[in-house]
Amino acid sequence: MNASGHLRVYPTPEAVANAFAEHFVASATRAFADRGRFVVALAGGNTPRAAYELLATQYNDTTISWNDVFVYFGDERCVPPTDEQSNYRMASKTLLSRVNIPSANVHRMRGEIDPADAAREYAQEITQDLGAHPEFDLVLLGMGTDGHTASLFPGTDPMTDSSALVRAVFADSVGSWRLTLTPDIFNAARIVIVATEGYEKAEALAAVREGRYDPKQFPAQIIAPTEGRLIWLVDEAAANNLKER
Ligand code: 6PG
């Protein structure tokens, strides 16, 4: 089984960012209409930066009622929120500090405390807010050059042990502790968007989407929403090795 989901190929990273932002607004609009609130898990890394910037500027119109937006994170590096490595810091600088979202609506993973304690704490927070079977309206993800997504890294046990909603994991490939939501919570989302770009991702993208199904080696393959939609937003460079178009 190859990675499921719709593939959208765009000519440039700027076009990917624009599509990312448009899907965010559309998903929020739908959630407001259906449930009166929008619950989203943000991606970390560099790829989402441009989309977050667009949401804070060009797309920051009245469409999004930020009072009714509830932000969580798909993963976090185990560093303080002021650290340059922090996904929270990146999202805050590019988006969250620039829109009128109440601080109580932003749920940060506490990367500065013991990883296992932070994972337990965040799982409790999510369960308290969203119930025992959380359903995000939108999950945003990226993909690494090794086919990881969020902090689901090749060979790590969050890939096989979904008993916890949130796991602390030591990622050998990056030499640091991470916090990550686990596959079941991603796959319970109504919409999952994976955005990836650049030639350096082409080999992994082809392996994830068209190679043998082996999520322990290519974790992004495990992202297959049970009832929701999966959309891959990629640029031409990342799609370079794909047979499908
Ligand atoms: C993180 C992300 C991670 C990221 C990929 C791609 O915390 O870094 O959750 O999964 O999405 O590593 O990163 P880039 O977007 O920087 O290429």
Side-chain angles (χ1 to χ4, degrees):
M1 178 184 92
N2 288 347
S4 58
H6 306 282
L7 176 76
R8 303 270 191 279
V9 182
Y10 295 89
T12 63
E14 291 73 22
V16 171
N18 209 59
F20 214 152
E22 284 180 353
H23 277 287
F24 184 102
V25 172
S27 177
T29 305
R30 177 68 184 272
F32 292 144
D34 293 352
R35 285 171 296 283
R37 70 176 190 170
F38 177 50
V39 183
V40 56
L42 297 183
N46 293 309
T47 302
R49 284 175 182 270
Y52 295 168
E53 292 275 357
L54 286 173
L55 287 167
T57 53
Q58 194 174 318
Y59 286 84
N60 187 14
D61 56 19
T62 53
T63 310
I64 297 186
S65 154
W66 288 99
N67 260 330
D68 302 316
V69 177
F70 298 87
V71 169
Y72 295 80
F73 288 81
D75 77 323
E76 184 56 280
R77 290 80 179 278
C78 290
V79 295
T82 52
D83 189 296
E84 287 213 340
Q85 281 297 310
S86 163
N87 286 335
Y88 165 80
R89 180 177 181 274
M90 180 276 287
S92 186
K93 279 173 72 70
T94 53
L95 173 60
L96 301 174
S97 64
R98 302 163 71 182
V99 294
N100 294 324
I101 187 168
S103 55
N105 289 21
V106 180
H107 300 268
R108 177 176 72 84
M109 291 178 167
R110 289 208 300 157
E112 67 274 27
I113 67 173
D114 171 79
D117 291 346
R120 264 192 302 278
E121 176 186 89
Y122 205 70
Q124 283 166 3
E125 188 168 343
I126 284 185
T127 306
Q128 191 177 318
D129 298 348
L130 306 177
H133 303 286
E135 283 184 41
F136 283 99
D137 293 304
L138 177 62
V139 165
L140 302 177
L141 293 170
M143 187 192 72
T145 54
D146 60 355
H148 82 259
T149 190
S151 285
L152 300 171
F153 286 89
T156 56
D157 63 5
M159 293 303 301
T160 53
D161 167 16
S162 274
S163 55
L165 289 177
V166 189
R167 290 297 302 272
V169 58
F170 186 81
D172 292 325
S173 54
V174 293
S176 62
W177 280 94
R178 296 281 192 97
L179 299 166
T180 189
L181 300 188
T182 50
D184 286 0
I185 193 170
F186 288 135
N187 287 333
R190 291 183 176 87
I191 299 179
V192 179
I193 293 181
V194 188
T196 197
E197 55 201 40
Y199 283 107
E200 71 276 11
K201 304 289 178 74
E203 190 178 338
L205 185 62
V208 165
R209 287 196 61 85
E210 299 177 346
R212 184 170 54 84
Y213 183 67
D214 182 6
K216 284 204 78 170
Q217 187 181 1
F218 298 107
Q221 288 181 331
I222 208 157
I223 303 300
T226 317
E227 293 179 17
R229 288 175 63 208
L230 172 59
I231 304 168
W232 286 76
L233 305 179
V234 307
D235 68 352
E236 287 287 357
N240 189 59
N241 298 14
L242 290 181
K243 299 184 189 73
E244 68 176 310
R245 276 312 172 98

